[in-house]
Amino acid sequence: MTVPTPPRGPDSLGFRRLFGVLGPSTNTVVQPDFDAMRPYGVTNHYSRIVVDDAQAVSDETFMAGTMEIDANTAAAVTGVLSCRPDYLVMGMSAVTFYGGAEGGRRWREKIEALSGVGVSTGAEAVVAALRAYGNIRRVAVISPYWPSANAQVKTYLADHGYEVVRDLPLQCRSWTQIAQVPEARLREGFHSLDGDDVEAIVQVGTNLSTVAFAAAAELWLGKPVIAINTATYWHALRANGIMDRMPGFGRLLTDF
């Protein structure tokens, strides 16, 4: 005889929403970033996608490493489902851009079918953020990726009507090195991408710490600067009807 699952009452801390967060085991940025943006009554439950710390990364091995992350995502989903989350938030972004708009949609639907709950992905969140700002068509992109992965990002954005005028792949040499990029390098990169022909700057790569940096950059560049961790968490909150305004993370979380 099958014993029915008892109905779940409100969680004592996550009484508004329980978020299952999926991120690579080498990622040290997503968990503190998402927790910093967490409003009262929402809790984040991190599930690590177990991967080795890829070393001496090249264009080819970067793509292969991201596909290893992709292959191990299902196990992380299964693990976090045991706390019965209301929604999943992807703390890794590269593979959510692969295959253009159609590939990104299929990837999200695969995770939703596996989990039985909704999912916010980095790729779809970036597009939603650009639309929230409005009247943007020409963007620049900075990432810790290598050129082949940046090409996938450009294709994805082009499928949604955005032209990537310039892009900068920082070509980090290991997964953990991504979290070690200094602010001076970010500042130099943002300045190199900016120009009158760029209406917004987008940062992708969830282990690159730019949540606070991007919020400050919006002020001194005078245009939208979208950090992917901010966009993804904002997307998850709004998808769940949580409209709290959170200062300190840029206009996405205060204006939209």
Side-chain angles (χ1 to χ4, degrees), residues 109-157:
E109 289 177 348
K110 176 181 70 175
I111 301 301
E112 288 177 337
L114 175 64
S115 66
V117 296
V119 181
S120 284
T121 69
E124 293 184 344
V126 163
V127 170
L130 287 168
R131 288 174 177 164
Y133 279 98
N135 299 318
I136 293 172
R137 282 293 169 262
R138 298 186 303 279
V139 303
V141 173
I142 185 170
S143 80
Y145 303 162
W146 284 66
S148 55
N150 266 31
Q152 295 283 345
V153 176
K154 287 189 281 188
T155 297
Y156 185 94
L157 292 176

Side-chain angles (χ1 to χ4, degrees), residues 65-224:
T66 59
M67 296 316 295
E68 178 190 6
I69 295 172
D70 179 42
N72 294 341
T73 298
V77 172
T78 300
V80 80
L81 287 179
S82 60
C83 77
R84 300 177 67 186
D86 300 296
Y87 196 80
L88 297 183
V89 192
M90 298 309 305
M92 60 93 168
S93 61
V95 300
T96 69
F97 289 97
Y98 292 1
E102 179 66 15
R105 180 187 61 78
R106 288 199 306 268
W107 194 92
R108 172 181 51 77
E109 289 177 348
K110 176 181 70 175
I111 301 301
E112 288 177 337
L114 175 64
S115 66
V117 296
V119 181
S120 284
T121 69
E124 293 184 344
V126 163
V127 170
L130 287 168
R131 288 174 177 164
Y133 279 98
N135 299 318
I136 293 172
R137 282 293 169 262
R138 298 186 303 279
V139 303
V141 173
I142 185 170
S143 80
Y145 303 162
W146 284 66
S148 55
N150 266 31
Q152 295 283 345
V153 176
K154 287 189 281 188
T155 297
Y156 185 94
L157 292 176
D159 283 354
H160 288 279
Y162 298 100
E163 176 191 357
V164 177
V165 177
R166 280 181 292 282
D167 72 294
L168 176 62
L170 294 175
Q171 301 185 42
C172 292
R173 302 293 295 184
S174 74
W175 289 157
T176 52
Q177 190 188 84
I178 295 171
Q180 301 163 16
V181 174
E183 284 191 355
R185 181 68 184 98
L186 289 174
R187 186 163 51 248
E188 175 188 281
F190 276 55
H191 278 303
S192 73
L193 290 171
D194 191 30
D196 292 340
D197 54 345
V198 169
E199 297 165 327
I201 295 178
V202 175
Q203 172 266 320
V204 300
T206 62
N207 206 25
L208 191 60
S209 181
T210 68
V211 164
F213 187 88
E218 281 197 327
L219 299 177
W220 47 263
L221 291 177
K223 62 185 63 175

Side-chain angles (χ1 to χ4, degrees), residues 233-245 252-253 256:
Y233 202 75
W234 164 83
H235 187 272
L237 291 173
R238 301 302 185 252
N240 283 272
I242 297 169
M243 305 305 294
D244 298 45
R245 299 321 198 201
L252 262 185
L253 279 169
F256 307 111

Side-chain angles (χ1 to χ4, degrees), residues 36-49:
M37 294 182 281
R38 181 182 65 84
Y40 179 65
V42 176
T43 53
N44 304 321
H45 307 281
Y46 199 88
S47 185
R48 294 189 174 273
I49 304 167

